[in-house]
Amino acid sequence: MIEKHFVLEDIDPVVFYGVANCHLQMIRALYPKLRITARDNVMRILGDEEQMAAFEESAEKMRQHVLRFNSLKEEDILDIIKGKRTKEEVPDGVVCYTMSGRPIKARTENQQRLIDAYQENDMVFAVGPAGTGKTYLSIALAVKALKDKTAKKIILSRPAVEAGEKLGFLPGDMKDKIDPYLQPLYDALEDMLPQVKLQDMMEKHVIQIAPLAFMRGRTLSDAVVILDEAQNTTPAQIRMFLTRMGWNTKMIITGDTSQIDLPKTQKSGLIEALHILSEVEGIGVVRLDRTDIVRHKLVTRIVNAYEAFDKESNSNV
C-alpha cells in the first residue's frame, strides 16, 4: 500500500469534484480498490501501485479537460477512465471557455478579423461602439495565451477619466477610488477563470490591472497587454503606453470614438494614434460597427438613435 497526493493545479476544484462531490463519488466507484479523499485542491489516494498509476493518468487527463473546457461531465469521466476517445482539442474558432463551459468565439465577421489580426500582428487596435465585444474578446485572447503558456502575464489598463463624478469625492483609498473604472475588466476575467485561481494570479502579479497612469516607466515583456477605453487617453498618454512594449509582448488597444469623455478642448489620443500608426507594419487595425453588437437588441437601437442625433446636431452647427 502506498499513499500519494494529486494536486488540481490551475483549475476550479468544484468543477472537478462536481456538485455535492458527485464526480468524486463516481471516481471512487470506478476505482474501488483505492481510498480517495479530497480537501480543497488536493486529493489523497491510498492503494496499490498499479491502481495508483492508472488513477494518476486518468486524473491528469480529467484535469487537462477541465483546464481546456472549464467543465467536466459524467460521460467525460467514463470515457477518460475507460480509455475511450474524448474531445481533447478545442474546436476551431473557439478562443476559450467560460466558467459555465460556454465557448467564446467570434460571432461576427469583424470579431473574427480581430482574432486574425491578433494572430498576425504584435499590436492591434480594435475600434467600435459599445457592445461589439472588443474588450471581452481581447481578454479571452489574453487568457488563452496564459493557458497556452505563450505569455507569462496579462496586463490590463484603463484611463481613469472622470465622467460626472470626481475621483476625490469617491470613498476609500486610491485602490477603492480606481476600482470602479476597472470593474468591467474584473467581470470579464471572473467569467473565464476560477475565482480562487484569479485571486491567486492577481496576488502573484501574473494578472495585473492598473490605471494607465501606473504604466509610466515600465517595460512590459512576455505579456499580453490590453488598453481599454483608449478614446479617453490624451496623445501623450497613449504614446507613453505604446512605447512600454517589450520583448515577446502583444498589445491590444480598444476604444469607442463616439464615447470620448475628455474635455472638448482635449484631443483623443486614440484618434491621433490611428491616424499616425494605421499604415505601420506589424500593427493591425480592426473597425467594428453596429452590426457587430452582441448585447441586448436594444443596444443596437440606442446606438443607431444616438448616431442619428449626432448627425443631425452636426448638420445644424
Side-chain angles (χ1 to χ4, degrees), residues 4 14 42 47 105 118 137 145 154 169 183 195 202 217 238 240 251 269 277 280 290 296 312-313 315:
K4 286 191 177 181
V14 175
V42 179
K105 57 184 178 180
Y118 171 84
L137 197 54
I154 298 173
F169 295 157
Q183 191 58 49
Q195 182 63 47
M202 293 182 70
I238 199 166
M240 175 273 293
M251 279 190 169
L277 304 175
V280 173
R290 57 193 177 191
H296 193 285
E312 184 178 346
S313 298
S315 64

Side-chain angles (χ1 to χ4, degrees), residues 42-76:
V42 179
M43 300 178 73
R44 179 175 172 265
I45 310 98
L46 188 66
D48 66 75
E49 191 169 353
E50 185 178 347
Q51 280 275 304
M52 188 80 71
F55 169 82
E56 285 184 304
E57 183 179 350
S58 296
E60 176 58 23
K61 287 180 180 178
M62 285 185 274
R63 189 191 71 83
Q64 289 289 341
H65 186 96
V66 175
L67 186 62
R68 288 189 183 98
F69 305 105
N70 275 334
S71 68
L72 187 66
K73 300 176 182 177
E74 290 185 356
E75 53 263 38
D76 296 325

Side-chain angles (χ1 to χ4, degrees), residues 10-16 66-67 69-72 96-104 136 143 147 187-198:
D10 301 328
I11 65 170
D12 186 351
V14 175
V15 177
F16 190 96
V66 175
L67 186 62
F69 305 105
N70 275 334
S71 68
L72 187 66
C96 63
Y97 288 79
T98 66
M99 290 309 301
S100 62
R102 178 178 60 84
I104 300 173
Y136 191 82
V143 169
K147 288 188 173 186
D187 291 344
L189 286 169
E190 287 172 354
D191 202 23
M192 302 174 203
L193 293 168
Q195 182 63 47
V196 174
K197 186 62 183 176
L198 174 58

Side-chain angles (χ1 to χ4, degrees), residues 158-174:
R158 265 188 167 199
V161 173
E162 300 165 0
E165 210 171 3
K166 298 293 184 181
L167 273 174
F169 295 157
L170 294 173
D173 58 18
M174 180 54 71

Side-chain angles (χ1 to χ4, degrees), residues 5 8 32 39 49 60 98 101 112 141 154 156 174 303 305:
H5 290 177
L8 301 174
R39 185 180 181 88
E49 191 169 353
E60 176 58 23
T98 66
Q112 186 59 51
L141 288 166
I154 298 173
L156 308 174
M174 180 54 71
V303 170

Side-chain angles (χ1 to χ4, degrees), residues 7 32-33 44 53 81 98 100 124 149 164 183 190 195 197 224 232 235 275 287 316:
V7 181
K33 294 182 181 179
R44 179 175 172 265
I81 292 178
T98 66
S100 62
V124 178
K149 301 189 185 304
Q183 191 58 49
E190 287 172 354
Q195 182 63 47
K197 186 62 183 176
V224 178
N232 288 327
H275 175 71
R287 296 185 184 274
N316 293 332

Side-chain angles (χ1 to χ4, degrees), residues 38-242:
R39 185 180 181 88
D40 297 327
N41 69 330
V42 179
M43 300 178 73
R44 179 175 172 265
I45 310 98
L46 188 66
D48 66 75
E49 191 169 353
E50 185 178 347
Q51 280 275 304
M52 188 80 71
F55 169 82
E56 285 184 304
E57 183 179 350
S58 296
E60 176 58 23
K61 287 180 180 178
M62 285 185 274
R63 189 191 71 83
Q64 289 289 341
H65 186 96
V66 175
L67 186 62
R68 288 189 183 98
F69 305 105
N70 275 334
S71 68
L72 187 66
K73 300 176 182 177
E74 290 185 356
E75 53 263 38
D76 296 325
I77 296 172
L78 282 171
D79 286 345
I80 290 171
I81 292 178
K82 292 184 177 181
K84 294 180 180 179
R85 291 188 62 183
T86 182
K87 59 178 183 178
E88 295 181 358
E89 298 297 329
V90 174
D92 289 341
V94 175
V95 178
C96 63
Y97 288 79
T98 66
M99 290 309 301
S100 62
R102 178 178 60 84
I104 300 173
K105 57 184 178 180
R107 295 171 64 181
T108 68
E109 288 185 12
N110 284 330
Q111 286 187 354
Q112 186 59 51
R113 289 192 183 101
L114 171 55
I115 294 172
D116 294 340
Y118 171 84
Q119 294 170 345
E120 296 166 4
N121 300 277
D122 289 334
M123 184 179 293
V124 178
F125 286 83
V127 184
T132 51
K134 48 189 188 300
T135 299
Y136 191 82
L137 197 54
S138 297
I139 292 177
L141 288 166
V143 169
K144 181 181 187 298
L146 205 60
K147 288 188 173 186
D148 292 346
K149 301 189 185 304
T150 57
K152 294 181 180 178
K153 56 193 172 187
I154 298 173
I155 300 172
L156 308 174
S157 187
R158 265 188 167 199
V161 173
E162 300 165 0
E165 210 171 3
K166 298 293 184 181
L167 273 174
F169 295 157
L170 294 173
D173 58 18
M174 180 54 71
K175 182 181 184 303
D176 294 328
K177 292 176 188 293
I178 62 179
D179 268 358
Y181 293 99
L182 307 175
Q183 191 58 49
L185 306 180
Y186 290 116
D187 291 344
L189 286 169
E190 287 172 354
D191 202 23
M192 302 174 203
L193 293 168
Q195 182 63 47
V196 174
K197 186 62 183 176
L198 174 58
Q199 190 63 39
D200 181 62
M201 285 179 166
M202 293 182 70
E203 288 174 359
K204 293 177 179 177
H205 303 292
V206 174
I207 295 178
Q208 304 171 28
I209 306 179
L212 180 60
F214 290 17
M215 294 294 109
R216 185 172 297 278
R218 299 184 63 184
T219 299
L220 310 175
S221 300
D222 298 310
V224 178
V225 186
I226 298 173
L227 174 59
D228 194 34
E229 299 289 345
Q231 76 275 3
N232 288 327
T233 61
T234 66
Q237 285 176 329
I238 199 166
R239 184 173 182 175
M240 175 273 293
F241 175 82
L242 297 178

